[in-house]
Amino acid sequence: MIRFLAVVERDLRKFLRNPLVILVSIVMPVVYLVILGNSLQGELRNITVAVVDMDRGPFADRVIERLYALQAGPGTIMLVRVADQGKAMEGLKSGRFKGVLIIPTDFSRDIMRGKNPELGLFLDNAETVSADTLRMAITGAIGEIERDFLPVRTRTSIPSVREVNLYKKVDYDQSLIPGVVIMAIFLGTMTTGAFNLVMDRFLGIEESYFLTPLTRYDIVMGLMVSGLIVTTVLALFVLFASSLISGIYLWKVLTLHGFVLLTVIIVLSTLGLLGLMFIIMGRINHPRIVGVLGGFLNVIFFFPSGAIYPVESFPWWLKGFAIVNPETYSVHALRAILFKGADIEAVKGDILFLSVFAVVALLIGILVFKRGL
Amino acid sequence: MSYAIEVCDLVKRYKTVTALDRVSFTIEEGEFFGLLGPNGAGKTTLIRILTTLIKPTSGRAVVMGLDVVKKRAEVRKVIGVLPQAMTSDLDLTGLETLDIYGRFYGIPAMERKKRIAQLLELVGLKERARDLVAAYSGGMRRRLEIARALIHMPSLLILDEPTLGLDPQSRHTVWELLRRFQDSYNLTILLTTHYMEEAESLCGRVAIIDYGKIVALDTVEGLKRMVPEKDTIELSITNIGLDRAEAWIKTLSYVHSCVIRDDTLMVSVDNGARMVPVLVDGLRGLGARVTRIILKEKTLEDVFIHFTGRPIREEESRKVSFLIGAGVPLKWSR
Ligand SMILES: Nc1ncnc2c1ncn2[C@@H]1O[C@H](COP(=O)(O)OP(=O)(O)O)[C@@H](O)[C@H]1O
Ligand SMILES: [Mg+2]
C-alpha cells in the first residue's frame, strides 16, 4: 500500500509542477465549446429567401407576416420580396437566394374552400444544410397559420412540423457541454496515466523504478489512480466553466443526487479511457507517436459519440462503432443528468456499460504492461 | 566464503549481436570490483541481467545468494543500483526523490526521515535538498542518484558508469564518495567504467571485458604484471655525450634496454619510480646535467592494449532508427 501510494504521489507531484499543462487542459475544452458552438450552430441564420406573392389574398399576407416574424425573431431567414417569378428563380440559380417561396394565385381561395393549400418552395439543394433548415422553418411558420385560422377539420392538410430541437430549453451551446466534458476527460486520460509511462520510457527513467520492489500492479494502479484524480478534477472544472459560459448555473440546476451521479459517470468514463490508453500506449516508447495517435483517437471517439450529431442519424457501420464506444454512453448519461434531470434509473444502462468497459480495459491494460526493459 | 555475486557461463544474445559471451566470475563480499571495457563491450547488459531488468539467454547469475531469474523480487530488495543513464525525475526535488524511493522500498516513515537526512549530508546535497532536480548540475544529480541507490541500506551497490559525462572535478567527488561509502557501510561494490583512471584508483580487482567476453581478471597490480611492457624513463642530458651515458646505463642490472631516440635516452625498467633517482645520481656522477625526465608508468591502458590488441575506444556510434528516432521498437533498430 505504501509503495502504491508513493507511485500516486510521485505522479501527482510531477503533474502539479507543470501548471501550464493544467491550465491548457482546462482551457482547451472550453475553447472547443466556444468554437464548436459558433461554427456548428444548431440554427442557421440569415438565409436569404425570395417571396413571390401571386395571390395577394389575406392568407398570403398571413404567410408573409409569419415569415417576417421569423426574420425578426430567431433571424433564420432574410426575406426579399420579388414580383417576378422568373427573376426569383434566376436569383436562386445564381446563389443570391437560398430559397424561393411562391404563393400561387388561388392560395387564399383554396384555403377558404377547404381545399389543400399549396405553396411552392424551391430550394438550393447544393447546400443541404441551409435547404433543410429553410424547409423546416417555413413549414413550421405556415403550420402555425393553419392552427391560428383554420377549423380543425383542415388539420389533415397541414404539412407535418418537425421541431429543430427536441428539448427546446437547451440551446446549442449548452447541448455541447457533455461533449466538451468528455473531450476534457479524453485529454486528461491521454496526458496522464499511460502517457507517463511513455515519457519515462522515452527518457529512460523507468529503469530506476523497475529496479525497486514495485510490482506491475503498484505501477499501473498507481498511475491509474493519479490519472483518475487529475482527470476527474479537470473534467469537473471544465463542466463548471463551460456551463457557466453557456448560461447554466449548475448549483441551481443540479441536485446533490444529480451531482454525485454526474461525478460517478465522469469517474467511470475516466477509468475506462485510462485503461484503454494503457492498452494502446502499453508498449509505445516515443511521445511523438502518442501525439499523432491522440489527435486521431480523439476524433474517432468524439464524433461518433453523439456529442454533436445524434447517433440515430449515423450509417449502420458507424452506429455499430458508437455502440461499443464508451464516450457514447458518457455523453448520453451526462446529457440525461444535466438537461433532463435524470436519476440513476435513467442512466443505469450507461453506468453498467461504462463499469464493464472500465474493468475490462484496466485488466487488459495491466496485462499489456511490461515490467522490464 | 559466500559470494556477493556469482556469474556462471552467462550468455545474452540479441538478434545479431552476442552482447555477453559465456561470462563467468565471482565477487566476494566487501570487494570493490571493477568491470572495465569500451562502449558496447556488454557492461550494461551484464548489469541489467544482474539487476533483474533483462533475462539472460543462458547461464546463471546469483546475487547475494539469490538467483536473478528465479528470485527477482528478492534480489531487488537487497541491491542498490545506479543505472548508466541519469534516471532521476527532473520535476521532483531531491528530498522528494529520496522520500518516494524510500517508500518504494516500504521503509517506515521515521526511519526514512533519519536515513534521508544522513544520506543528503553524506552526498553534500543538504542545502539543495528542496530544489528541483532540474536545477541540479550533472554531478549533483549523480550524487542524488547514488544516495537514492542506498536509501534501503543495501549491502551490494552496483554502479553502471557512475561518472560518465561528468567533469573531472565532479568525477573525483563521486570517487571520494564511493570510497567513503564502502568504508563506512562495509559495502560490496560492483562498478563498470570505460575510464582507466577510475578502475585504477577505485577498484581492488578489475575484469577487462571486450566484445562480451572477459579477457582478463585480476587486481590492478596483477594485471599490470601480466603485461610484458615495462615502465619507460625518458632522459635529456647535456655536458656529456649520449653514447657515454647509454653505455653506462646499459651496465645497470635493473635496466632491460636503453636506446637513443633523437636527443633522448629511452630507458626501459621494471620499476620506474625506484630507478629515477639512481639514474639521475649516476649521470651526475659522470658529469652530466639532466635537463628533462619523463617517467611513463605502465597503466591499465597498456594492459587493455595487451589483452585486446587496441586502445580503449571512446565512442562507438549506435544505430538509431531512421523511421522515427527512438520510436521504433528496439527489435527493429540497432
Ligand atoms: N536491446 C538491445 N537490442 C539489440 N542489441 C543490443 C541491445 N542492448 C544492447 N545491445 C548491443 O549489445 C552490445 C553491448 O551493449 P551494452 O551492454 O550496452 O554495452 P556497454 O554498456 O558496455 O557500452 C552492443 O553491441 C549493443 O549494441
Ligand atoms: Mg553501458
Side-chain angles (χ1 to χ4, degrees), chain A residues 44-49 75-79 98-99 130-131 133-134:
Chain A
L44 299 184
R45 275 158 205 278
N46 303 331
I47 307 174
T48 331
V49 180
T76 317
I77 57 171
M78 234 165 71
L79 227 49
K98 301 284 181 226
S130 55
T133 308
L134 254 189

Side-chain angles (χ1 to χ4, degrees), chain B residues 230-249:
Chain B
K230 312 297 170 196
D231 290 354
T232 307
I233 302 169
E234 293 181 24
L235 291 161
S236 301
I237 53 172
T238 54
N239 284 1
I240 65 167
L242 283 177
D243 300 355
R244 213 181 130 202
E246 184 196 4
W248 174 74
I249 290 172

Side-chain angles (χ1 to χ4, degrees), chain A residues 283-305:
Chain A
R283 307 254 162 149
I284 293 180
N285 55 9
H286 201 302
R288 202 178 292 158
I289 302 181
V290 177
V292 173
L293 220 53
F296 175 72
L297 290 176
N298 190 13
V299 170
I300 289 293
F301 286 110
F302 182 71
F303 284 98
S305 70

Side-chain angles (χ1 to χ4, degrees), chain B residues 11-181:
Chain B
V11 175
K12 177 70 187 180
R13 257 190 288 276
Y14 293 108
K15 277 243 164 64
T16 52
V17 193
T18 302
L20 290 179
D21 191 1
R22 297 173 53 95
V23 170
S24 302
F25 64 93
T26 53
I27 300 178
E28 282 171 20
E29 279 183 20
E31 264 197 275
F32 201 136
F33 190 95
L35 203 58
L36 175 71
N39 281 319
K43 303 182 296 296
T44 300
T45 305
L46 177 59
I47 296 292
R48 284 180 169 169
I49 290 173
L50 292 178
T51 57
T52 76
L53 290 177
I54 54 179
K55 284 187 190 146
T57 308
S58 69
R60 216 166 67 92
V62 177
V63 168
M64 305 307 287
L66 300 161
D67 189 294
V68 297
V69 178
K70 293 178 197 135
K71 302 262 191 227
R72 290 162 172 253
E74 287 85 347
V75 169
R76 286 177 194 140
K77 284 181 195 148
V78 297
I79 57 173
V81 188
L82 179 77
Q84 177 175 327
M86 298 262 188
T87 51
S88 39
D89 290 300
L90 289 173
D91 29 18
L92 293 180
T93 67
L95 192 64
E96 287 166 350
T97 303
L98 294 181
D99 188 59
I100 284 170
Y101 271 77
R103 284 153 68 192
F104 285 176
Y105 286 94
I107 305 170
M110 286 290 285
E111 200 185 322
R112 213 161 60 221
K113 213 173 154 198
K114 226 171 59 193
R115 184 96 183 128
I116 290 171
Q118 206 178 35
L119 281 169
L120 281 172
E121 179 83 56
L122 275 166
V123 299
L125 287 174
K126 204 170 145 201
E127 316 296 314
R128 304 290 303 270
R130 285 169 199 283
D131 292 352
L132 286 184
V133 174
Y136 285 11
S137 69
M140 291 166 69
R141 207 173 160 195
R142 216 56 180 149
R143 265 147 47 210
L144 176 71
E145 289 172 2
I146 291 174
R148 190 183 68 185
L150 291 169
I151 190 79
H152 56 299
M153 301 215 212
S155 48
L156 172 62
L157 179 62
I158 298 179
L159 309 128
D160 195 359
E161 310 225 23
T163 63
L164 186 71
L166 296 189
D167 58 277
Q169 199 193 333
S170 306
R171 182 169 301 159
H172 282 279
T173 316
V174 169
W175 290 355
E176 211 34 65
L177 209 59
L178 292 179
R179 278 196 204 102
R180 193 137 31 99
F181 275 125

Side-chain angles (χ1 to χ4, degrees), chain A residues 61-71 141 144-145 148:
Chain A
D61 290 346
R62 277 291 170 209
V63 167
I64 290 166
E65 195 179 298
R66 281 287 151 185
L67 292 179
Y68 271 120
L70 205 56
Q71 174 173 338
E144 283 170 34
I145 298 182
D148 289 352

